[in-house]
Amino acid sequence: MDFTNTGSKVDGTAVYPVHAAQTSGLLTRCEPMLDQDKFRRMFLKGIPLRMWNGDVYTPADLTEKLNWAMNEAELLLKLTITREAFQHKVPFDYALYKAYIHIRAEKGPIISLEQLAIVSADNNNIFTIPPTWIETTNFAKRLINVVPLLAAYGVNQVAGAVGNAGIAFLTVMDGLNWVPAYWQIQYTAGLATAEGQVPAPVNELIGTIAAISILSEIAATYRYNSQSQSQDGISQSSTGPGPRQYELRIEDLIVKRDMLVKKLRAIFSNNFFIDNI
Amino acid sequence: MRLSADFIVNYANVNQFSYQDQWKVRAGDPVTLYFQLIDLDQPAAGCSCSGGLFGTGLRYIAGTGLVAPAAPNVLVTFPSIDNSKVIQLIATQVSPFDGSIWQVTLAPTQVPGSGNVLFQVTEGTATRTFSITNGMSVELPGSNGSC
């Protein structure tokens, strides 16, 4: 994405720790995305990655597992791990409009807001909110506010002819109660301002998700519940779950399937809707 | 034919190097990155493993069908959401004795993001592209207290 011609507005603080203006550097909180080598060291020590039939987890397998775990973590957290650009429209709600155009973006934490504009259904830009009016302090919580007080009443002036005239334009909206798609926002969101960096707890979450998957697979390959041997009688016996050997694994997969279906459905629909009355 | 690449570290000559599943660098360090082109559809001899990282595909020498002065072109891209931060490097062959091994050099001012690495191999009119999942890991020693 080309950011050179956008009216990019950033909060200027870190995404993690939230609102950190400066950190000492004494504690490492952010690190590169979890790779299979570190994953093996931090989660799989002592775990045999070779199964009884000769199947092994190769570095490629672990990398793919981690990639899936990262995607699963994004679904669970309802955000993107890496910084990505988004564009969508949000409704005009009179109550929220009176509360300084209180807009909640679909994705977060917001790293930069490129444009907040009133865009018609045929994609004509009717009015762009000047970046100087946009309040950034709640970007971490996906909230965008427009506070034009400085431009209207303070010493600061908004550059260009559209700036102060916009306040008058916005007051016209007083007659509307609800417009389903009104504000168009273009923004970037992700878990770190530095690309490819991830907060350490997020890496731990990714590793945990991948480890659960791998340990569940490995556990299913143990065929015996108990084994016994006796020497003088020269006898040996083994007991196993028989046809129920993979039952635990199937149960794990059912839980995972249901979770994935639920999360994927939630992306494309509303489970419930709460707003002002 | 599905091309891919194995990452190489500690390269001394074509008979002395080791494979690694990921390039690991520190921001600000000058670094030369080596890789070997492989063909995933031709598994390496004796390897029953499938797809992916080192040792899983026969080495691939680009441009064997080209007539001089035509030469293959290999481009390595470190993607970014910000166009101004995308790093594209033209790879050069490391040694005339093994045309499958290539290198790119990162200047201290070039700091890629950790994550996927994209490759583009052009041989005459044929261009093949592939991506290595999480192929680059970049430590930021000066600013890892926040991100």
PDB file of all heavy atoms in Angstrom, chain A residues 173-184:
ATOM      1  N   MET A 173     -26.104  16.795   9.693  1.00  0.00           N
ATOM      2  CA  MET A 173     -26.428  15.408  10.013  1.00  0.00           C
ATOM      3  C   MET A 173     -27.345  15.299  11.220  1.00  0.00           C
ATOM      4  O   MET A 173     -27.793  14.215  11.559  1.00  0.00           O
ATOM      5  CB  MET A 173     -25.136  14.619  10.294  1.00  0.00           C
ATOM      6  CG  MET A 173     -24.203  14.574   9.111  1.00  0.00           C
ATOM      7  SD  MET A 173     -25.006  13.949   7.661  1.00  0.00           S
ATOM      8  CE  MET A 173     -24.589  15.211   6.472  1.00  0.00           C
ATOM      9  N   ASP A 174     -27.618  16.415  11.878  1.00  0.00           N
ATOM     10  CA  ASP A 174     -28.482  16.370  13.055  1.00  0.00           C
ATOM     11  C   ASP A 174     -29.856  15.786  12.745  1.00  0.00           C
ATOM     12  O   ASP A 174     -30.508  15.209  13.604  1.00  0.00           O
ATOM     13  CB  ASP A 174     -28.656  17.780  13.630  1.00  0.00           C
ATOM     14  CG  ASP A 174     -27.535  18.103  14.597  1.00  0.00           C
ATOM     15  OD1 ASP A 174     -26.670  17.210  14.794  1.00  0.00           O
ATOM     16  OD2 ASP A 174     -27.511  19.210  15.130  1.00  0.00           O
ATOM     17  N   GLY A 175     -30.296  15.918  11.503  1.00  0.00           N
ATOM     18  CA  GLY A 175     -31.629  15.436  11.161  1.00  0.00           C
ATOM     19  C   GLY A 175     -31.709  13.944  10.925  1.00  0.00           C
ATOM     20  O   GLY A 175     -32.793  13.391  10.805  1.00  0.00           O
ATOM     21  N   LEU A 176     -30.586  13.296  10.879  1.00  0.00           N
ATOM     22  CA  LEU A 176     -30.596  11.858  10.601  1.00  0.00           C
ATOM     23  C   LEU A 176     -30.453  11.061  11.889  1.00  0.00           C
ATOM     24  O   LEU A 176     -29.774  11.486  12.813  1.00  0.00           O
ATOM     25  CB  LEU A 176     -29.446  11.498   9.659  1.00  0.00           C
ATOM     26  CG  LEU A 176     -29.470  12.126   8.271  1.00  0.00           C
ATOM     27  CD1 LEU A 176     -28.164  11.835   7.547  1.00  0.00           C
ATOM     28  CD2 LEU A 176     -30.653  11.609   7.471  1.00  0.00           C
ATOM     29  N   ASN A 177     -31.077   9.912  11.934  1.00  0.00           N
ATOM     30  CA  ASN A 177     -30.922   9.044  13.093  1.00  0.00           C
ATOM     31  C   ASN A 177     -29.995   7.868  12.808  1.00  0.00           C
ATOM     32  O   ASN A 177     -29.213   7.472  13.646  1.00  0.00           O
ATOM     33  CB  ASN A 177     -32.288   8.507  13.538  1.00  0.00           C
ATOM     34  CG  ASN A 177     -33.045   9.560  14.323  1.00  0.00           C
ATOM     35  OD1 ASN A 177     -32.443  10.343  15.051  1.00  0.00           O
ATOM     36  ND2 ASN A 177     -34.349   9.603  14.146  1.00  0.00           N
ATOM     37  N   TRP A 178     -30.115   7.306  11.631  1.00  0.00           N
ATOM     38  CA  TRP A 178     -29.378   6.074  11.343  1.00  0.00           C
ATOM     39  C   TRP A 178     -29.143   5.948   9.846  1.00  0.00           C
ATOM     40  O   TRP A 178     -30.077   6.069   9.050  1.00  0.00           O
ATOM     41  CB  TRP A 178     -30.175   4.871  11.861  1.00  0.00           C
ATOM     42  CG  TRP A 178     -29.570   3.551  11.501  1.00  0.00           C
ATOM     43  CD1 TRP A 178     -29.921   2.750  10.452  1.00  0.00           C
ATOM     44  CD2 TRP A 178     -28.502   2.884  12.169  1.00  0.00           C
ATOM     45  NE1 TRP A 178     -29.148   1.626  10.430  1.00  0.00           N
ATOM     46  CE2 TRP A 178     -28.262   1.674  11.480  1.00  0.00           C
ATOM     47  CE3 TRP A 178     -27.727   3.192  13.291  1.00  0.00           C
ATOM     48  CZ2 TRP A 178     -27.275   0.775  11.868  1.00  0.00           C
ATOM     49  CZ3 TRP A 178     -26.764   2.301  13.683  1.00  0.00           C
ATOM     50  CH2 TRP A 178     -26.535   1.110  12.994  1.00  0.00           C
ATOM     51  N   VAL A 179     -27.913   5.732   9.462  1.00  0.00           N
ATOM     52  CA  VAL A 179     -27.574   5.411   8.074  1.00  0.00           C
ATOM     53  C   VAL A 179     -26.661   4.186   8.144  1.00  0.00           C
ATOM     54  O   VAL A 179     -25.631   4.226   8.822  1.00  0.00           O
ATOM     55  CB  VAL A 179     -26.829   6.570   7.376  1.00  0.00           C
ATOM     56  CG1 VAL A 179     -26.537   6.207   5.918  1.00  0.00           C
ATOM     57  CG2 VAL A 179     -27.645   7.852   7.455  1.00  0.00           C
ATOM     58  N   PRO A 180     -27.033   3.097   7.504  1.00  0.00           N
ATOM     59  CA  PRO A 180     -26.304   1.844   7.743  1.00  0.00           C
ATOM     60  C   PRO A 180     -24.851   1.834   7.285  1.00  0.00           C
ATOM     61  O   PRO A 180     -24.035   1.106   7.852  1.00  0.00           O
ATOM     62  CB  PRO A 180     -27.128   0.806   6.964  1.00  0.00           C
ATOM     63  CG  PRO A 180     -27.953   1.589   6.012  1.00  0.00           C
ATOM     64  CD  PRO A 180     -28.190   2.912   6.631  1.00  0.00           C
ATOM     65  N   ALA A 181     -24.546   2.597   6.252  1.00  0.00           N
ATOM     66  CA  ALA A 181     -23.148   2.654   5.814  1.00  0.00           C
ATOM     67  C   ALA A 181     -22.848   4.103   5.479  1.00  0.00           C
ATOM     68  O   ALA A 181     -23.314   4.622   4.464  1.00  0.00           O
ATOM     69  CB  ALA A 181     -22.915   1.757   4.603  1.00  0.00           C
ATOM     70  N   TYR A 182     -22.082   4.748   6.331  1.00  0.00           N
ATOM     71  CA  TYR A 182     -21.932   6.197   6.200  1.00  0.00           C
ATOM     72  C   TYR A 182     -20.462   6.603   6.226  1.00  0.00           C
ATOM     73  O   TYR A 182     -19.916   7.087   5.252  1.00  0.00           O
ATOM     74  CB  TYR A 182     -22.697   6.850   7.339  1.00  0.00           C
ATOM     75  CG  TYR A 182     -22.795   8.355   7.232  1.00  0.00           C
ATOM     76  CD1 TYR A 182     -23.680   8.931   6.334  1.00  0.00           C
ATOM     77  CD2 TYR A 182     -22.043   9.178   8.052  1.00  0.00           C
ATOM     78  CE1 TYR A 182     -23.781  10.312   6.241  1.00  0.00           C
ATOM     79  CE2 TYR A 182     -22.144  10.552   7.969  1.00  0.00           C
ATOM     80  CZ  TYR A 182     -23.015  11.118   7.066  1.00  0.00           C
ATOM     81  OH  TYR A 182     -23.109  12.476   6.990  1.00  0.00           O
ATOM     82  N   TRP A 183     -19.820   6.348   7.347  1.00  0.00           N
ATOM     83  CA  TRP A 183     -18.401   6.696   7.461  1.00  0.00           C
ATOM     84  C   TRP A 183     -17.558   5.614   6.805  1.00  0.00           C
ATOM     85  O   TRP A 183     -17.719   4.445   7.108  1.00  0.00           O
ATOM     86  CB  TRP A 183     -17.975   6.796   8.931  1.00  0.00           C
ATOM     87  CG  TRP A 183     -18.788   7.702   9.764  1.00  0.00           C
ATOM     88  CD1 TRP A 183     -19.701   7.354  10.715  1.00  0.00           C
ATOM     89  CD2 TRP A 183     -18.764   9.129   9.745  1.00  0.00           C
ATOM     90  NE1 TRP A 183     -20.250   8.469  11.279  1.00  0.00           N
ATOM     91  CE2 TRP A 183     -19.690   9.580  10.703  1.00  0.00           C
ATOM     92  CE3 TRP A 183     -18.062  10.078   9.015  1.00  0.00           C
ATOM     93  CZ2 TRP A 183     -19.931  10.915  10.951  1.00  0.00           C
ATOM     94  CZ3 TRP A 183     -18.293  11.414   9.256  1.00  0.00           C
ATOM     95  CH2 TRP A 183     -19.215  11.823  10.212  1.00  0.00           C
ATOM     96  N   GLN A 184     -16.674   6.016   5.943  1.00  0.00           N
ATOM     97  CA  GLN A 184     -15.716   5.047   5.407  1.00  0.00           C
ATOM     98  C   GLN A 184     -14.372   5.268   6.075  1.00  0.00           C
ATOM     99  O   GLN A 184     -13.868   6.402   6.091  1.00  0.00           O
ATOM    100  CB  GLN A 184     -15.562   5.190   3.892  1.00  0.00           C
ATOM    101  CG  GLN A 184     -14.542   4.204   3.324  1.00  0.00           C
ATOM    102  CD  GLN A 184     -14.534   4.181   1.813  1.00  0.00           C
ATOM    103  OE1 GLN A 184     -15.413   3.599   1.194  1.00  0.00           O
ATOM    104  NE2 GLN A 184     -13.549   4.832   1.220  1.00  0.00           N
TER     105      GLN A 184
END
